[in-house]
Amino acid sequence: MSESFEPNIVAFLCNWCSYAGADLAGTSRVQYPANINVIRVMCSGRVNPLFVMNALQQGADGVLVSGCHPGDCHYMEGNFYARRRLGMLKDLMEFVGIDPRRFHMSWVSASEGHKWKEVVQKTVDDAREAGPFQGFRRRQIDW
Amino acid sequence: MTEKPKLGVYICHCGINIASTVDVEAVTEFAKGLPNVIVARNYAYMCSDPGQLLIKNDIKEEGVNRVVVASCSPRMHEPTFRKALQEAGLNPFFLEMANIREHCSWVHGDREEATAKARRLVAAAVAKVRQLEPLEEREVDAEPAALVIGGGIAGIQAALDIADAGFKVYLVEKTPSVGGRMAQLDKTFPTLDCSACILTPKMVDTASHPNIQLMTYSEVEEVSGYIGNFDVKVRKKARYVDFDKCTGCGECAAACRMANRIPNEFDAGMGKRSAIYLPFPQAVPAKYTIDPENCLYLTRGKCGKGPKCAEVCRAGAINFEQQDEIVEFKVGAIVVATGFDVFEARKKPEYGYADYPNVITGLEMERLVSASGPTGGQIKIKVEDEEIVPKEIAFIQCVGSRDKSVGNEYCSRVCCMYTAKQAHLVKDKIPDANVRVYYMDVRAFGKGFEEFYDRVRREGIHYIRGNPSEIFKRGSKLVIKVEDTLTATPMEDEVDLVVLAVGLEPRQDVRKIIDLLRLSQSPDLFFLEAHPKLRPVDTATDGVFLAGCCQGPKDIPDTVAQAKGAASSAMIPLARGKVKIGAQVATVNENTCRGCGFCVEICPYSAIELVAVNRFGHPVQVARVNEALCKGCGSCSAGCLSDSIQPKSFRDRQILPQIAALGVMR
Amino acid sequence: MDLEKLRKTAAEIVSRDDVKYLIGWRPGSFGYRVSPCFVQDAAGAEELIFSPLCASNLATYLTLVEKLPVPRGEEPDRRKVALLVKGCDSRAVVQLLVEKGIEREQVILVGLPCRGVVDLNLLQQKYPEGLEKGELSWQEGGFQLIRNGETATIPREEILAEKCRLCRYPNPVLSDVTIGDPVEPWETEADRGVEELEQKSVEERWDYWEEQFSKCIRCYSCRNACPLCYCDDCILDRLNPIWINRAVNFSENTAFHLARAFHLGGRCAECGECERACPMNIPLGKLNRKLAKEVREKYGYEAGVDPEAKPFLASYNPNDPEEFIL
């Protein structure tokens, strides 16, 4: 693994908590690595677990899904569904030998700008340690 | 929409907020090379009028039909730019924003890295915007009526305001009378108005207002539907007294075999009442109610030779056959004003509330000093079977507030001032009494509060900074163990009466309302408002508003102000007569749906149902979305194995290209 | 096995006016082959068999059958379908009921307590298959093979299918009639296939699956054989959006198998049909069993045992495990 490897991270953030928390990190000028690229969804429950797989296939070295804390979901239950689905996906990915450091899930509320930074740091560090994820890369990515 | 996408990409400098970290020129050049992009520009402030004009002109003159704005968070300016699109004649949902400020320039210092990331985010937005679809916001009629839950001052005020504006109001109160906590108070701080005197006229108004249907001794059983169209079911509990016949004369209560034997809730348990009762003399409606838990006839089926109440009632109003009644109606908005409970003083055993009768709570003190209270307003306590007028009186502040040991971190906001008021009243009624207040900090923040606090101290009330550690009995006296923390003096203080300034807590039955209306709680367990600053009376459930202490502790003026705020917010859909339905809702591909019902189970809003359709002659079940109920969260979609249900603007085919773009641009 | 009773029962069922057909097994045309059959009348019922060779899960046909357009003016055929089910097959039926894939009134289940079917590959290794027909039956401690008039006894553990070694439901969990006495569930073995992989390092697991998935020719037999893969229009075939490219290469194969396994999470009835159908011998069952195990151990949920259960992926428990969350 080369020293200069910088992982590419795709993050799915719910609009109401984690995206807002990341916005707060911005307004608070909290500095964190630029490797993280956010896709906004309305709820972590929207994140089809196959998105995670798809991101890893299409050029991501790590994936993060973040939603509201349990009980705080703007849609009441979406994060509970997300937790169950993505927990199962994580088990599956680990079983086929995808480094568990490549996929993380977190609860970040709209007031946790600093937690967002920590989550990003951890996700990026972990993916950096896991190295480039070439094996699974799609041959030709069209969009 | 078969029109070929023609994209306009607009990069905002945000003054120097973005431009100082992101090379906006480079990002603009990059955007020009992205598929379907026909124009890419950058500008100092895209959200300004000239900035918006750039977009509008390109739409009109260059034929731009999809817009990407790379600027701040869409949570900030998405509505602004949607409006710009609309004004230029383009469907407002052909917009995607790339957040290169909060998520990029403000959080990354390295210009090269930030610029590379801005490129990726722009590429992802371009990838998505190509796949977006035009959406229409629809409107449905709103029922011009409101439901107000809770008949305290907050509920009363909200109901009166909405009714005065000409809308029908259903005011539902759990207890037999409106009035709530305010009716229990004697005087109000800092003006010392008589609480009952200012409240009673409003209570009477709720009963007589032609637009208000007052439902006391009733509880909301079920709420379904959505803003503008809530279906409500209310259970009117059996009073066992014919509401129309009862004249409120009170002879039944006097005759009741349980007379003066049941603790009166209104007097905080200090006075006694009958099994058939009027909660307090000024109760509205002035109709008696039989307490089914204490009535001999209802609990044992036998009351002497026959129920006394029925015997003496000349109106013939007593009816033991009465049943609960379910009333159903429709409203367009709901105001929740369910109030608070006072802190349970037994949870602080060191203060001996459970052990010593002369340790009382602030609410009990209110009843004790009230002219309508159990002692007729005389401050008298029983010490060893002897009724005395206490001379040494101590108040202890912050009981159950600002106290992590009982789980209440918050300040209850009223205790400092009600203690000052009660101290004043004590001094007023017992001029030779020695009154002291043990406090942590005195918070006198409201209008006239500091002045009142000052006045009370000048009246000879001693304020001692210290948090008592223990109260115990010595002879006929109570001893407070405390350290005066200003002089670092440990002391023991002998007193006749201790008043605990108990704080405010969410109601015990708060869960019921949460389940009913899908509300959330803040960490203090009071109801959570939609935004702590800008939407303090709204909730996450559209059309449901909060008023009074159910949202957090507050005094009467704040409660009234919030009630008026909630009322006027609730009136917006009622006055318009229509409500907007979000356009970003889920939609089903009925051809691929296999009718498994996963989405039906998942949907937290019961917005999806299975319906029978005919598929080439075969009856099959498919999911169907009620767009008025759907909030567009998309949880259904991620649970659908055939991806047949998709939230508009967040479809798989709109998200997967975003993922791919981020991957390619690494 | 009381074949006579099975055939008699089947004949009675298919003779009913409200029954379209019965799906069962009959001997194949050569060797150990057994073929599914659709019995329309009493005469057809005479062909039915039930033996350790009847490995296939007939529940697949409940959803696989094509619904042809009904000509105008005609009514769709709403007659019931009868089905022979082993324990594992019945779990698939229960899961279909949970997912509303079928209606309970539309199926008649003939339950067959099962002492375990054989792995055809193992049998063939011992007694290579020829054109002449071979008959296999259960006997104490194993199987009896009759071929060319010769009788051989094969110990149970030598040819028992892997899914049966792990089977916890040898008796149908749901049936309308049961033929034969209930079978005493046996001591299940540890799932060595899954456990061995679990003990490997992440890299070793990746290498293992890389080798396995690289073999895949994307014939989709696993999908077709699975009684619970029954979307009319599988998302992995779609063109907009494209989840998986058509190309047969390791990346797309892996994505396909991950998606397939994930979609069966909390749903798999562990009948092993995917693996049995795979022409490239990819151990797909391991993926499904791993997820089924996690779902059972972490979430206390088991697919295909309770027709009234809520679907695993369409429900949650506020106390679901979340130690993996940052």
Side-chain angles (χ1 to χ4, degrees), chain C residues 88 91 115-117 156 160-170 185-195 269-272 275 285-286 288-290 292-293 296 302:
Chain C
C88 48
R91 285 185 64 194
R115 291 195 269 167
V117 297
R156 183 178 143 97
L160 189 68
E162 187 183 31
K163 66 160 176 171
C164 302
R165 297 172 198 270
L166 308 169
C167 176
R168 283 167 294 117
Y169 296 93
W186 48 88
E187 190 95 351
T188 54
E189 297 171 19
D191 191 345
R192 260 177 271 131
V194 169
E195 283 174 10
E270 297 166 85
C271 69
E275 187 167 326
K286 285 183 191 173
N288 297 336
R289 293 202 307 271
K290 166 69 177 174
K293 178 182 147 187
R296 203 163 53 233
E302 191 155 34

Side-chain angles (χ1 to χ4, degrees), chain C residues 144-156:
Chain C
Q144 187 183 56
L145 175 68
I146 303 175
R147 203 169 57 149
N148 291 335
E150 285 172 28
T151 303
T153 297
I154 313 170
R156 183 178 143 97

Side-chain angles (χ1 to χ4, degrees), chain C residues 164-184:
Chain C
C164 302
R165 297 172 198 270
L166 308 169
C167 176
R168 283 167 294 117
Y169 296 93
N171 296 302
V173 294
L174 184 72
S175 63
D176 296 296
V177 281
T178 307
I179 313 284
D181 297 326
V183 171
E184 182 71 23

Side-chain angles (χ1 to χ4, degrees), chain C residues 73-93:
Chain C
E74 287 182 23
E75 284 296 306
D77 190 342
R78 293 277 289 161
R79 288 178 298 166
K80 296 168 195 275
V81 171
L83 187 73
L84 304 190
V85 288
K86 306 186 291 291
C88 48
D89 308 344
S90 72
R91 285 185 64 194
V93 173

Side-chain angles (χ1 to χ4, degrees), chain B residues 305-612:
Chain B
K305 281 186 191 134
K308 274 271 191 194
C309 50
E311 204 176 290
V312 299
C313 181
R314 276 170 286 178
I318 310 295
N319 176 7
F320 285 106
E321 303 302 313
Q322 210 177 57
Q323 298 285 322
D324 289 3
E325 191 190 337
I326 303 287
V327 186
E328 291 180 41
F329 50 87
K330 247 178 133 71
V331 297
I334 298 174
V335 175
V336 181
T338 47
F340 63 92
D341 276 341
V342 292
F343 175 74
E344 172 51 75
R346 283 180 183 80
K347 285 196 220 157
K348 295 288 287 180
E350 59 270 36
Y351 291 158
Y353 174 74
D355 307 323
Y356 312 124
N358 40 349
V359 176
I360 64 172
T361 67
L363 190 62
E364 287 165 350
M365 189 64 182
E366 287 292 335
R367 298 312 303 148
L368 208 55
V369 294
S370 169
S372 69
T375 58
Q378 290 179 298
I379 304 174
K380 283 190 287 191
I381 53 163
K382 265 196 178 159
V383 176
E384 285 160 2
D385 294 331
E386 197 188 336
E387 203 157 70
I388 62 155
V389 173
K391 291 285 152 67
E392 300 291 330
I393 300 171
F395 288 85
I396 299 176
Q397 302 240 258
C398 292
V399 178
S401 310
R402 305 175 67 199
D403 184 350
K404 282 186 191 171
S405 72
V406 294
N408 294 345
E409 247 182 279
Y410 55 87
C411 165
S412 289
R413 297 179 98 245
V414 293
C415 328
C416 284
M417 292 317 291
Y418 83 58
T419 297
K421 174 199 73 183
Q422 289 178 351
H424 164 83
L425 293 176
V426 168
K427 201 73 184 157
D428 198 34
K429 297 197 177 204
I430 316 169
D432 60 340
N434 284 319
V435 182
R436 52 278 213 189
V437 177
Y438 290 101
Y439 71 101
M440 288 202 270
D441 302 286
V442 171
R443 299 184 165 183
F445 49 82
K447 188 172 177 175
F449 287 11
E450 185 65 28
E451 295 90 320
F452 185 70
Y453 168 51
D454 206 37
R455 167 181 167 185
V456 168
R457 275 187 305 174
R458 273 189 277 114
E459 285 169 357
I461 315 286
H462 290 284
Y463 272 75
I464 302 163
R465 192 170 187 277
N467 202 358
S469 57
E470 197 186 354
I471 293 174
F472 57 89
K473 213 171 153 124
R474 184 184 290 154
S476 63
K477 297 275 187 184
L478 289 171
V479 180
I480 301 175
K481 252 185 119 156
V482 63
E483 181 193 340
D484 180 340
T485 54
L486 292 182
T487 56
T489 320
M491 53 192 261
E492 287 189 353
D493 185 9
E494 285 197 358
V495 296
D496 300 316
L497 176 66
V498 175
V499 182
L500 304 176
V502 286
L504 276 44
E505 281 192 331
R507 288 190 70 96
Q508 295 294 315
D509 54 1
V510 74
R511 193 76 237 167
K512 233 180 118 176
I513 301 288
I514 290 173
D515 293 343
L516 212 54
L517 298 168
R518 306 185 194 110
L519 297 180
S520 311
Q521 288 167 292
S522 36
D524 57 14
L525 302 180
F526 288 98
F527 291 139
L528 180 66
E529 62 281 2
H531 189 283
K533 306 272 184 309
L534 302 177
R535 297 180 67 196
V537 303
D538 307 58
T539 65
T541 309
D542 287 344
V544 178
F545 305 92
L546 302 175
C549 290
C550 64
Q551 181 259 340
K554 50 181 70 70
D555 62 7
I556 295 167
D558 283 1
T559 295
V560 171
Q562 197 185 21
K564 286 180 153 295
S568 72
S569 292
M571 279 189 274
I572 294 172
L574 311 190
R576 262 194 91 229
K578 296 207 176 289
V579 284
K580 267 200 180 144
I581 293 176
Q584 293 176 327
V585 293
T587 170
V588 178
N589 179 345
E590 293 190 356
N591 293 322
T592 58
C593 174
R594 49 181 212 165
C596 67
F598 283 15
C599 53
V600 178
E601 293 280 351
I602 290 168
C603 181
Y605 301 97
S606 308
I608 311 172
E609 56 178 351
L610 289 179
V611 295

Side-chain angles (χ1 to χ4, degrees), chain A residues 15 23 32 36-37 46 61, chain B residues 73 75 108 117 652 666:
Chain A
N15 182 56
D23 277 358
Y32 57 79
I36 198 120
N37 306 296
R46 169 64 189 103
D61 301 298
Chain B
S73 172
R75 292 172 53 85
H108 309 313
K117 177 166 172 179
D652 290 346
R666 67 199 317 265

